[in-house]
Amino acid sequence: MTRLFNDPADFADEMVDGFVAANQARVRKVHGGVARSTASPDGTVALVIGGGSGHYPAFGGLVGHGLAAGAAMGNLFASPSAQQVTAVAKASEHGGGVLLSYGNYAGDVLNFDAAERALRDAGIEVRTVRVTDDVASAPSTRTHERRGIAGDLCVFKVAGAAAEQGMTLDEVTRVATKANERTRSFGVAFSGCSLPGAEEPLFTVPEGRMAIGMGIHGERGIDETDVPTAAELATLLVDKLLTELPDGVTADGAHVVPILNGLGSVKYEELFVVYATVQRLLTDAGAVVVEPEVGELVTSFDMAGVSLTLFWLDAELEQLWAAPTDTPAYRKGGAVPQERLPEDVLTAHVAAPVTPGTPDSQASARVVADAVTAIRTTIDEHADELGRIDAVAGDGDHGIGMQRGSTAADAAARDAATRGAGAGSVLAIAGDAWSDKAGGTSGAIWGAALEALGRVLGDTDRPDAATVQTAVHAATDAVLAFGAVVGDKTMVDALVPFDAVLSERIDAGDDLVTAWTAASAAAQQAADATAALLPRMGRARTHGEDAVGTPDAGAVSFALITAAVLRTLSVPA
């Protein structure tokens, strides 16, 4: 379990503060994560990596000479927001373009892709390479669906070395892509991990048993067996990966980097015992072992687990793997003199200006701000339960992510309303804050939904029931654009019935409160019904059978939010 924390909701932010304080010679804090505190030549490519916190040394520990230029760091096990990725990339780039690289998880894809669009709009050339090394997460016929786990290090190291040597953005992207195609990983766990403040781990493994094929976010394994000896575990890992050789690679005579990675609680001494057999088995297969790594490189908080990565080299990749690196958590080769950036590089954050609304819209903005406060209060009350539901087949972060997002949205909405913004602007500003602070898939979805609501409501008129109906439908379309449909066991299963009933009742002549009451009841009924569904989207998809019997956390939180807003609408003006 995690023992040392203050407020669990502040854990990730406080962790970044402490990490930067301990490593000021190499990193500096920027909005959304960290960037190098040392200078890089103008015109070189900036490798920007990232993902959820809880995986140290990934991702901030890999920022420095020869590796990443910056790391976007989301909440625990939640992707950084698009705003965070964009901010880190802008703080890290120096004229040669940006390569975004990260593990292939749904929330990361949503937010890094949005950041890529924002950076392109700002005139910055961008490429993306997603890491897909986990052989347990999808079959070899669908490698593009696989997760990124400890193979992150291989792709990041090669791309960072290529950038440091002055390769162009296209060349850095090419070698990173090749490294990903030649990397395979497979892992096991003996116990689950626990998030700060949680009373139970995200999953459990029976005493004397071992989960096979789990991810790095507390996802359950795809199989289970008795705990083997160290030699038997090495054989399991090596045999599995030797059946998953990259195209064109044969083990006999090939150069390979083995990475035996501890996931948080397995001691180095145990890893070395396992590694002795790993190297012997690879040598027996005819492979040439090159610069292996044994230790904690991509972790899962306090999970007791081990993964093996095999990175199959060619001459170019071998040279890049061996190149010097100097980061807080990963160093290779001799020390390289580096120039520290001037202390005034960072600028103070300034609140975004608001366009004043009309008096009618300002009055509506105050109602909107009250509604966002009610949402935050409701999420605070149910955060633990939402996390528990999410942990059944997901990673347990939905409650704390919604809590962080709604808290940020509440503060931003209240501030914007106080400064005279109209209802539409208050919603847009709240959505931006929610997305930025929450990160993850839910952060992106709620950010888009609030922005769509605000776009329809605008800053001039007091919205009537028909306008609210149109705004809710626009928000529904914005959420559906992320790809989920009814039946996938997501928030959409509650949102679509809510939208349909609201429209039906308003079209029938009901006032807004009456219509919202019926729609909220429909959302709650639909959320409850998701218990019978098999998830077909996101991380829960891999372990869908575990979720049957438990409702979807996103659908449940949506129904709770509609009820909270209803209480605000029902208060006399």
Side-chain angles (χ1 to χ4, degrees), residues 121-144:
D121 289 345
I124 299 172
E125 196 173 4
V126 192
R127 304 284 188 277
T128 291
V129 174
R130 298 173 189 149
V131 183
T132 55
D133 59 304
D134 179 19
V135 303
S137 56
S140 58
T141 54
R142 303 202 308 272
T143 56
H144 64 284

Side-chain angles (χ1 to χ4, degrees), residues 493-494 497 521-532 550-552 554-560:
D493 289 296
Q524 184 62 62
Q525 183 178 6
D528 293 341
T530 61
T550 302
D552 176 69
V556 170
S557 62
F558 176 80
L560 289 169

Side-chain angles (χ1 to χ4, degrees), residues 351-352 354 410-421 429:
V354 300
D410 182 25
R414 189 64 57 188
D415 174 70
T418 300
R419 291 192 285 143
I429 290 168

Side-chain angles (χ1 to χ4, degrees), residues 309-324:
T309 298
L310 296 182
F311 177 29
W312 299 94
L313 303 170
D314 63 10
E316 180 181 41
L317 294 176
E318 187 164 346
Q319 178 266 325
L320 293 168
W321 178 255

